[in-house]
Structures are given as structure tokens and as C-alpha cells.
Amino acid sequence: AAAAYRGVLLALPASAALWFGDLRDRGLAAAVEAYTRTHVSPALLSHQLAVLHSPAAQELADAESFAVRALAAAREVVAVATVEDGATLELAVRLPPAWPLKPAEGECRR
């Protein structure tokens, strides 16, 4: 059952989040969130960060105008784009401990 749950969170994160949001039993929701936070989210986050550092992802980024860095300890991904006249745009996406059951938070820093 744990492997199936992990597979659903990996393959269908939005559907899992909708299911979680519809849970009416608070005890069950708390148990699911705690299990996800402890046993599933760290592995999913590691997998997603590995994808960001893959050669295919690196080829998509133009080193002069776009850079992505992942901060695993902070569960954060920061994208920096250089636009016209050297101005930069920095977007940070923070993943909650129970991600993907809870939504990510985005912040434009510059």
C-alpha cells in the first residue's frame, strides 16, 4: 500500500492533493499528512531536485540569461532570469514539508 501511495504522489500529485483536501476525517488527514511528511516527501523532493540537476534540464537553461538552483535543506528552488538591460527577475518556490499534499508557495524576490 505504501508503494502504491508513493506512486500516486509521484505520478498524480494534483489528484492526490485534491483527495487530501476532500478528507473530512481530521484524524485521518493528520495521519496521512504526518506519514507523507516523514516517509514520502523527502524522497519525492530528492527525485525532483535530481531532475533539475540532470543534463537534459541543464541544456534547457541558457547560462547567461537563466539559472536555477535548488536548496534541498530549505525545500526551495530559485530561478533567476536576466532580462533587458541586465535587470534580473528572481522567483523562489518553497515546497511545504507535506508536499505534494500541500501547495507550494511562490515568491518574486526581484
Side-chain angles (χ1 to χ4, degrees), residues 12-86:
L12 303 166
S15 296
L18 287 173
W19 165 79
F20 178 74
D22 287 343
L23 286 178
R24 298 292 172 232
D25 182 339
R26 290 180 188 236
L28 177 60
V32 168
E33 183 175 348
Y35 178 82
T36 303
R37 182 178 50 245
T38 305
H39 299 290
V40 182
S41 289
L44 288 178
L45 180 60
S46 293
H47 173 77
Q48 294 300 324
L49 295 181
V51 170
L52 282 176
H53 293 291
S54 71
Q58 295 300 319
E59 286 178 20
L60 293 175
D62 178 353
E64 289 184 26
S65 63
F66 187 76
V68 176
R69 68 180 185 273
L71 308 167
R75 295 181 319 275
E76 184 174 83
V77 175
V78 180
V80 180
T82 303
V83 292
E84 297 176 16
D85 300 328

Side-chain angles (χ1 to χ4, degrees), residues 9-10 34 57 63 102:
L9 288 177
L10 181 61
K102 300 283 186 165

